Amino acid sequence: MAVAHKGAISFGLVHIPVSLYRTTQDTSIAFHQLCKDTHERIKYKKYCAHCGKEVHSEDIVKGYEYEKDKYVVMSKEELEEIKTEKDKTIHILQFVKLEEVDAIYYEKNYYAFPDKHAEKAYELLRKAMFDKGVVAISKTVIGTKETLLALCPDKQGILVKTLFYEEEIVEMPKDIPHPKTVKAELDMAKQLIQSMTKPFDPSLYHDEYQEKLRKAILSKVEGKEVVEASSKKETISSPMDLMEALTKSLATMNKPAKRKAVRH
């Protein structure tokens, strides 16, 4: 797995060199755009609007438009030269309780691995944060942006979560109404929640639609017809049926599973 970012965690006067690795991968099926008539791949060409010639990746540079149609060009080397070791360092700014950071601020996750000679300092920071029940709010430059981070300890290591800045968070477009609830309905809803509450096991969940999509594609490849999904629509209870829906849901959850007959 490729390193997404290299730097060092700065904890007071303690310097902990680390490498960040992505925690996720895209497993979704990718489709190509094809010509309707020939089924050939659709390709896009990049060209210069001034001279009309096609340009390739090695011929493209980054430019900032400081006035209309006027640009200042910045090469990759110049962008890297601007970064100092201080910029690449993950500076711990403060420690907070994990629940104090609203979930809306989280963006991406990375695994942080220490360099070999920094393993003891890394473990010291991880264990101290884990025992105190805190995360470290930090900053570092990733790419061309100073990124806000949360260093989150667990039993294995330190998970680095990138955070949005407050100015990047968009306010809710309108207020969500809070109509008055009936106690009997609320109690029933709580019972339903309780009946469905159990330890989280991520291995139980997977993308079922992707499985159906893969089967449909395989059927097409083998020359079979794609089987259409059932057109039956789920019914949504109206506010008038809320209590009835809760009662039936709870009864379904509490119904004992049918035992299979044992053949002798």
Side-chain angles (χ1 to χ4, degrees):
M1 185 184 296
V3 176
H5 178 75
K6 285 189 72 69
I9 298 173
S10 176
F11 174 43
L13 297 178
V14 180
H15 197 69
I16 311 171
V18 294
S19 298
L20 304 187
Y21 295 84
R22 296 187 184 278
T23 62
T24 58
Q25 60 181 350
D26 186 4
T27 60
S28 59
I29 293 174
F31 287 95
H32 294 295
Q33 291 185 322
L34 307 177
C35 172
K36 182 180 177 180
D37 297 323
T38 65
H39 290 180
E40 293 292 332
R41 287 276 301 273
I42 300 298
K43 296 183 178 180
Y44 295 91
K45 292 183 178 180
K46 296 180 180 179
Y47 70 96
C48 174
H50 177 69
C51 64
K53 72 174 183 179
E54 183 180 353
V55 292
H56 302 284
S57 297
E58 61 270 20
D59 300 317
I60 299 174
V61 295
K62 291 181 180 291
Y64 175 77
E65 187 176 22
Y66 62 94
E67 288 182 14
K68 180 64 176 176
D69 295 329
K70 290 185 178 180
Y71 301 88
V72 57
V73 174
M74 298 293 292
S75 68
K76 290 182 180 179
E77 293 73 21
E78 288 174 323
L79 290 172
E80 283 301 316
E81 285 176 4
I82 296 171
K83 295 180 188 176
T84 64
E85 284 303 315
K86 183 179 179 182
D87 293 323
K88 297 176 183 178
T89 300
I90 299 172
H91 298 277
I92 294 179
L93 309 175
Q94 69 171 104
F95 295 95
V96 300
K97 295 289 185 181
L98 178 61
E99 57 269 22
E100 293 180 26
V101 184
D102 194 305
I104 198 172
Y105 286 94
Y106 292 121
E107 184 184 13
K108 297 177 182 177
N109 295 328
Y110 296 90
Y111 296 117
F113 282 85
D115 286 3
K116 195 163 186 178
H117 67 277
E119 290 173 350
K120 185 175 181 179
Y122 176 96
E123 173 59 14
L124 181 68
L125 175 61
R126 183 206 67 79
K127 193 172 189 311
M129 287 197 297
F130 189 81
D131 290 349
K132 292 287 290 182
V134 297
V135 301
I137 302 301
S138 316
K139 263 187 177 185
T140 193
V141 175
I142 299 178
T144 58
K145 179 184 177 183
E146 188 173 50
T147 305
L148 196 62
L149 307 169
L151 310 186
C152 306
D154 59 26
K155 292 182 179 180
Q156 296 296 321
I158 296 175
L159 196 65
V160 178
K161 298 175 178 285
T162 62
L163 304 175
F164 290 107
Y165 287 102
E166 186 176 20
E167 59 265 27
E168 294 179 294
I169 303 297
V170 178
E171 290 186 2
M172 293 178 65
K174 58 182 179 179
D175 292 333
I176 297 176
H178 296 279
K180 188 176 180 180
T181 57
V182 178
K183 184 179 184 303
E185 294 175 346
L186 186 59
D187 290 342
M188 190 69 73
K190 289 178 180 178
Q191 288 183 48
L192 180 57
I193 290 172
Q194 181 60 40
S195 70
M196 297 174 66
T197 300
K198 57 184 177 181
F200 176 59
D201 181 1
S203 67
L204 297 176
Y205 308 103
H206 53 278
D207 191 334
E208 296 179 30
Y209 178 75
Q210 286 285 307
E211 289 184 354
K212 290 189 291 185
L213 185 56
R214 290 180 194 279
K215 287 180 181 179
I217 291 172
L218 183 59
S219 294
K220 279 270 190 175
V221 171
E222 295 175 347
K224 300 177 182 178
E225 288 297 321
V226 176
V227 179
E228 294 185 357
S230 171
S231 59
K232 184 179 179 181
K233 296 182 179 179
E234 293 184 5
T235 56
I236 301 175
S237 299
S238 65
M240 295 283 291
D241 300 323
L242 184 56
M243 189 63 179
E244 182 183 358
L246 288 167
T247 303
K248 288 182 178 179
S249 298
L250 190 58
T252 302
M253 295 303 301
N254 292 331
K255 186 183 295 184
K258 292 182 179 179
R259 297 181 62 182
K260 292 183 179 179
V262 179
R263 293 183 179 180
H264 297 283

